[in-house]
Amino acid sequence: MTGTKPTTDTIAAISTPPGRGGIGIVRLSGPEAASIAAQLVRLRQPLEHARARLADVLDENSSSDAARIDEAVVTFFGAPHSYTAEDLVEIAAHGSPVVLELLLGRALALGARLAEPGEFTQRAFLAGKLDLTQAEAVRDLIAAQTLTQARQAASQMGGALSRRVAPVKQELVELIALLEAGIDFAEDDVEVTPQAEIASRIGELTPPLTALEASFARGRIVHDGLTLAIVGRPNVGKSSLFNRLVERDRAIVTATPGTTRDTVSERISLDGIPLELVDTAGLRSGQSDEAGEGQREHVQEAEQLGIRRSREALADAALVLIVLDATEPLNGEERRLLTAVAGRPALVAVNKSDLVEPGHPLPDSTTLLGAPSIPRSVHPNAQSSCVGDPGVRNGWESIHLIATSALTGEGIPALRERILALATGGAAAEPGMLTSLRHQQAIAAALSALADAARANAASIPHEMILMDLYRALWALDSLTGQTTPDDILNLIFSTFCIGK
Ligand code: GDP
């Protein structure tokens, strides 16, 4: 959306996705929409606001029935009661690209201009039907891959984010008006606002913005999703766990070590959060402790490619799931892996818990990781525990252990829960979450400008200077929801202060 086009011309586009379908829609918006539509098709009744009308799509400029190539339903929405606030016509024909292109071609020949991507929504925005966050939500709704994403977009489209920002903005504008009035109308007996009041007003603006900024933690992942790399040595059950999480057989499971040579990925929706699961090839490397000399030399090219991809997936992933085998002692490769993810959001699944007898003695920390500050034990019968001595801050506190069995399903719900907690950082879903970096940066800029204003006020800096910071905060909020004009502020000054009476 460019924001510079005049909105006096009539635009047209095929609004349904490319390809064949039951229905295809050509949309027209602008002053000539109705008259162009009336020439495009043979209407059986005149157009009327919000009424569907049957029409014939004719092959040529002929009125004979033999020239009819399709039957369409035409709906007209008169300005300003339409999506774009202009006259708008939707012609729903059968979803044949040939018919739709014929209609569009004719509409262009009749004086319409081909709409640019997003231009219908841009017109709605320019007409004040939507603010910027709502226009963005239209795009997000169309791109939604999970129902949660769609709900989030719909709530933003309904103005949830704007409603959270609006009261803060209103208070900010009031504070600006208060200071402006004190400066500009001192001779009209408008009192200069005391420092303490400015401080308290700025103080009230900050918490809702801080809360909004914090909502980005969850909003971002609802919007963008996350990648979870499943890593571990061959045959520990990575693919089986992956399948359990995906709940259908996507990765190939075999009993031969190292057969998942490449990475396999699948997108799942975990409590509405799009999660890209990446099942990596076993992290077996040439330096593997168990690998004999001969074996090391015979690491296949394909497997090395797989290992490289594994490492890339590991480096790229936001979350890591390390899979260990409950029946096998930890090897050097696994120790390296655990060390590599220390401090990163990671989970450890101690898999094949079904093969371990209840009460089976488990290796202690020294056998597991060869370091005193690492886990005391990995007990596959424990539902979930945190690795590491709580007193030692070595990055291991972030890693959670979960006993799982891909065979019986034991521990899988707990694993899902932990993945979700790790993904969201515990942040709950809330209305009007920030979902894009653009939103987050606008809020952060507003907060930083408010902090500057608070400092300036505390330092008894002249109000003109404090106002500059407050205006910066206002512009940042404006960039989210729309502009505050000098008139808005002047009107407020006049309505509040009875100036010039
Ligand atoms: P990967 O190489 O790490 O991806 O391991 P796979 O998922 O291919 O599993 C290797 C073998 O272990 C297969 O024969 C699986 O059936 C078996 N397996 C995987 N998870 C479990 C489990 O939890 N319990 C048992 N008993 N066997 C499992």
Side-chain angles (χ1 to χ4, degrees), residues 234-240 253-255 351-352 354-355 405-407:
N235 226 28
V236 292
K238 294 183 299 301
S239 305
S240 311
V253 182
T254 71
N351 194 40
K352 306 197 186 178
D354 57 291
L355 297 179
S405 167
L407 194 71

Side-chain angles (χ1 to χ4, degrees), residues 202 206 444-458 469-470 472-473:
I202 295 175
T206 315
L447 278 168
S448 130
L450 286 176
D452 289 347
R455 266 194 299 275
N457 181 52
D469 293 326
L470 295 178
R472 267 199 297 128

Side-chain angles (χ1 to χ4, degrees), residues 187-318:
E187 70 277 13
D188 289 274
D189 291 338
V190 173
E191 282 182 21
V192 172
T193 317
Q195 192 173 20
E197 186 179 345
I198 300 176
S200 107
R201 279 177 178 252
I202 295 175
E204 279 166 25
L205 293 171
T206 315
L209 292 180
T210 310
L212 201 53
E213 199 188 22
S215 74
F216 187 52
R218 188 173 178 116
R220 182 179 57 86
I221 57 163
V222 166
H223 189 267
D224 300 338
L226 278 180
T227 307
L228 172 83
I230 306 177
V231 295
R233 65 172 139 143
N235 226 28
V236 292
K238 294 183 299 301
S239 305
S240 311
L241 277 179
F242 174 91
N243 289 341
R244 274 283 180 182
L245 292 169
V246 172
E247 274 167 0
R248 60 196 161 89
D249 289 342
R250 175 71 175 77
I252 308 145
V253 182
T254 71
T256 327
T259 44
T260 314
R261 301 231 189 264
D262 210 332
T263 56
V264 182
S265 69
E266 184 90 352
R267 199 169 258 258
I268 63 167
S269 165
L270 202 64
D271 196 22
I273 291 173
L275 197 68
E276 178 105 2
L277 293 183
V278 185
D279 178 15
T280 65
L283 271 172
R284 169 147 49 123
S285 69
Q287 288 82 52
S288 172
D289 289 1
E290 291 85 39
E293 196 63 44
Q295 217 181 335
R296 238 174 272 163
E297 283 165 12
H298 290 98
V299 175
Q300 298 292 310
E301 207 178 304
E303 191 165 281
Q304 280 179 334
L305 182 69
I307 291 164
R308 208 182 71 217
R309 296 242 170 99
S310 266
R311 295 225 164 98
E312 283 168 9
L314 188 61
D316 290 347

